[in-house]
Amino acid sequence: MTSTLQRSLLFVLAVTSVSLVTAQAPPAGSGVNWEQLRSETLQHYRSLIRLDTTSGHETLAVDYLKKVLEAEGIQTKVFAQDPKRANLVARLKGNGSKRPLLILAHTDVVGVQKEKWPVDPFGAVMKDGYVWGRGSKDDKPVLTANLMTMLLLKRSGVPLDRDVIFLAESGEEADPDGVGINFMVREHFGEIDAEFAMTEGGGADIQDGRVTRVNIGTAEKVPARVRLVATGTAGHGSVPRLDNPLIHLGAAVEKVGTWQTPMRLNETTRTYFQKLSEVSAPPRAAVYKALLDAKSVDAAQKFLREHSPAEYSMLRTSVVPTMLKAGVGANVIPSEAEATIDIRALPDENVQAFYAEMAKVIGDPAVKIEPVPQTRPASPASRLGSEMYQAMERAAKSIYPGATVIPSMSTGASDMAQLRAKGIQSYGIGPASTEADSLNYPAHGDVERLAESSLYPFAQYVWSVVIEVAGHK
Ligand SMILES: [Zn+2]
């Protein structure tokens, strides 16, 4: 680490928050009013929550960010396929010795049912140590932390080896017209092309008032949905027919829905279960250990299937029937019946070969598999050994002392898919939350909130990673 970087890290420690959660002491002799920075962080965060950026209104956030960034001399560019749903890019130049780092966050939020909220969902109300509001978890903490990082980089004048690119993107939550990441990747990829990216898709767990676990999202499953379509002869409901498509479809749905697809671990999931086997409480630790042992793997899978379906899904390409459509009348045999099957493939799955395998499991020529057009590309997992991952691990350990850092694979899909598909190693982050809060006040939930004390260390984490990866060495 050069002295420049050391100085900037001192600056970081001086200016960013000391977490109530981790109860670290602030370093002595900082000379920078970090209290002031803390209130600035909170002020941007609350201002962004107060903008009702329900999908379709993202330009409100772009206007705000543009003003804040440009007031500090950071140039911005706005790219809009739809003028109400703009994207904003800002770039701080490095010396070009390394490829850029992209920090991105989406500006849109999902809708609200006002009557379910105890407070104004766009009021950013502060109550009981929380900031309440739509977007308080998803995704305005990341947006705020990224914004603060840009402001601090500019103010400190830290020399950079990499360009740091800030992207505020629209349409992550709802984007039928492709105005967000798809538009940026398709039309303006040069503006956001980078070696590494960091955005939502990870998180951290608080237990007994302390952050015990930090998740770095390194991979996600690939949606590979299909329809099963059974055909037969239409007829009268009083006359049983062997080719009744409902019977064929029903059998096919039963077969694929109970099919235990092959288990396959990748670098992320192997490390995930390995680490959990080391840090979990005894009964669960044994399950994770058993999962990694050929002799006991079957029993461990059975346990997870019953008790931890999300982890069971991480082991394999999952096949889940979600919709059925058939019939026009109680006394009519229809000529067609169809089921929608939500398939979430492992990142390295050969999807065509998987469909062929599924056809064998169904074993019925009357049932055809029809792939549904996918909205996200297949995306390879990002590496655990990269400079970026290692920097994230170090930053997490210093900001959340004693926490275990674990890579994770999401069973859902995110905008990192488009970036990973373009070769950008992309990593997911998120502020810390208790289990109760994650359950009762989740992203997209009826009511969303974030502990104020989680915001500041999170902003510090983002800044620390950026300075480590992009700062001049
Ligand atoms: Zn989100």
Side-chain angles (χ1 to χ4, degrees):
M1 201 189 295
T2 65
S3 60
T4 313
L5 187 54
Q6 276 169 338
R7 272 202 309 279
S8 40
L9 283 173
L10 273 179
F11 174 76
V12 174
L13 292 170
V15 296
T16 41
S17 149
V18 171
S19 156
L20 297 176
V21 170
T22 58
Q24 274 174 299
S30 59
V32 176
N33 187 346
W34 85 260
E35 278 293 337
Q36 195 184 331
L37 210 80
R38 192 169 148 146
S39 69
E40 185 183 352
T41 306
L42 181 63
Q43 180 235 311
H44 288 309
Y45 176 61
R46 294 181 74 198
S47 300
L48 286 164
I49 292 170
R50 286 194 187 110
L51 301 171
D52 176 357
T53 51
T54 305
S55 301
H57 306 277
E58 292 92 332
T59 301
L60 291 172
V62 164
D63 291 342
Y64 178 87
L65 295 164
K66 186 177 163 68
K67 215 158 121 191
V68 172
L69 289 163
E70 291 189 351
E72 306 236 5
I74 302 172
Q75 284 182 10
T76 63
K77 290 186 187 177
V78 175
F79 301 97
Q81 177 174 297
D82 174 340
K84 288 191 161 153
R85 312 197 67 186
N87 304 277
L88 177 141
V89 174
R91 180 186 293 253
L92 291 171
K93 295 290 283 181
N95 61 21
S97 62
K98 291 180 178 174
R99 295 185 56 223
L101 165 65
L102 171 67
I103 53 176
L104 69 150
H106 65 86
T107 53
D108 60 333
V109 296
V110 296
V112 296
Q113 286 176 277
K114 274 217 162 89
E115 65 281 6
K116 304 239 166 153
W117 288 72
V119 294
D120 175 1
F122 297 103
V125 171
M126 298 186 63
K127 192 162 77 77
D128 310 328
Y130 290 86
V131 181
W132 301 64
R134 183 55 91 215
S136 58
K137 278 201 171 112
D138 183 11
D139 187 27
K140 289 175 174 171
V142 180
L143 189 60
T144 304
N146 290 354
L147 174 65
M148 289 307 299
T149 297
M150 293 300 278
L151 298 177
L152 293 179
L153 283 175
K154 178 73 177 170
R155 283 176 204 165
S156 64
V158 180
L160 299 172
D161 282 344
R162 302 176 187 274
D163 290 5
V164 176
I165 307 169
F166 172 95
L167 169 64
E169 48 145 358
S170 63
E172 195 279 336
E173 302 292 2
D175 193 14
D177 304 319
V179 298
I181 197 69
N182 284 319
F183 171 64
M184 292 306 296
V185 166
R186 198 180 61 238
E187 306 283 334
H188 303 287
F189 187 63
E191 298 286 344
I192 58 169
D193 189 11
E195 179 172 10
F196 299 121
M198 184 162 72
T199 188
E200 66 171 354
D205 301 338
I206 300 172
Q207 258 172 16
D208 303 324
R210 190 174 81 75
V211 172
T212 53
R213 191 168 134 179
V214 177
N215 284 319
I216 301 176
T218 52
E220 65 186 52
K221 293 177 94 177
V222 183
R225 254 161 239 150
V226 297
R227 275 196 305 265
L228 300 183
V229 182
T231 47
T233 313
H236 198 283
S238 66
V239 182
R241 293 194 57 94
L242 287 173
D243 67 348
N244 183 334
L246 270 75
I247 297 170
H248 288 260
L249 184 71
V253 168
E254 200 269 336
K255 282 179 188 158
V256 299
T258 55
W259 178 26
Q260 176 149 315
T261 57
M263 167 176 157
R264 192 166 68 250
L265 296 175
N266 55 36
E267 185 190 25
T268 291
T269 51
R270 182 174 297 283
T271 308
Y272 174 89
F273 288 112
Q274 177 72 47
K275 290 213 170 191
L276 283 185
S277 77
E278 290 159 13
V279 301
S280 303
R284 214 19 119 76
V287 174
Y288 297 130
K289 217 166 269 153
L291 196 63
L292 302 166
D293 182 343
K295 291 195 292 289
S296 48
V297 63
D298 290 347
Q301 287 201 73
K302 187 168 179 289
F303 178 90
L304 292 182
R305 187 172 203 168
E306 285 165 21
H307 301 283
S308 186
E311 288 181 325
Y312 178 80
S313 180
M314 288 171 68
L315 301 173
R316 56 183 24 86
T317 293
S318 59
V319 179
V320 178
T322 51
M323 292 166 78
L324 288 171
K325 206 170 89 185
V328 289
N331 57 354
V332 180
I333 299 173
S335 59
E336 198 172 292
E338 89 178 40
T340 300
I341 312 294
D342 193 358
I343 296 174
R344 301 300 177 111
L346 290 171
D348 64 348
E349 189 71 79
N350 177 337
V351 172
Q352 291 312 318
F354 186 84
Y355 293 159
E357 200 54 41
M358 188 160 80
K360 278 192 215 154
V361 168
I362 294 170
D364 181 348
V367 179
K368 297 270 178 296
I369 297 172
E370 294 185 353
V372 173
Q374 308 303 329
T375 52
R376 305 232 191 230
S379 64
S382 296
R383 289 192 307 272
L384 271 54
S386 69
E387 188 185 339
M388 180 78 180
Y389 184 86
Q390 289 175 353
M392 293 176 80
E393 197 167 36
R394 274 196 303 277
K397 283 181 173 162
S398 86
I399 285 154
Y400 305 111
T404 305
V405 180
I406 302 187
S408 61
M409 179 177 75
S410 170
T411 56
S414 83
D415 280 358
M416 280 192 278
Q418 279 86 339
L419 300 175
R420 289 191 179 122
K422 294 290 277 184
I424 302 177
Q425 298 280 309
S426 306
Y427 298 92
I429 51 172
S433 198
T434 60
E435 195 180 8
D437 256 358
S438 301
L439 275 173
N440 300 319
Y441 302 94
H444 300 206
D446 278 346
V447 182
E448 195 177 335
R449 69 178 195 186
L450 180 74
E452 185 194 346
S453 58
S454 285
L455 179 66
Y456 310 121
F458 178 64
Q460 183 180 352
Y461 174 52
V462 170
W463 161 256
S464 304
V465 173
V466 170
I467 208 75
E468 249 298 326
V469 172
H472 176 58
K473 291 204 175 75

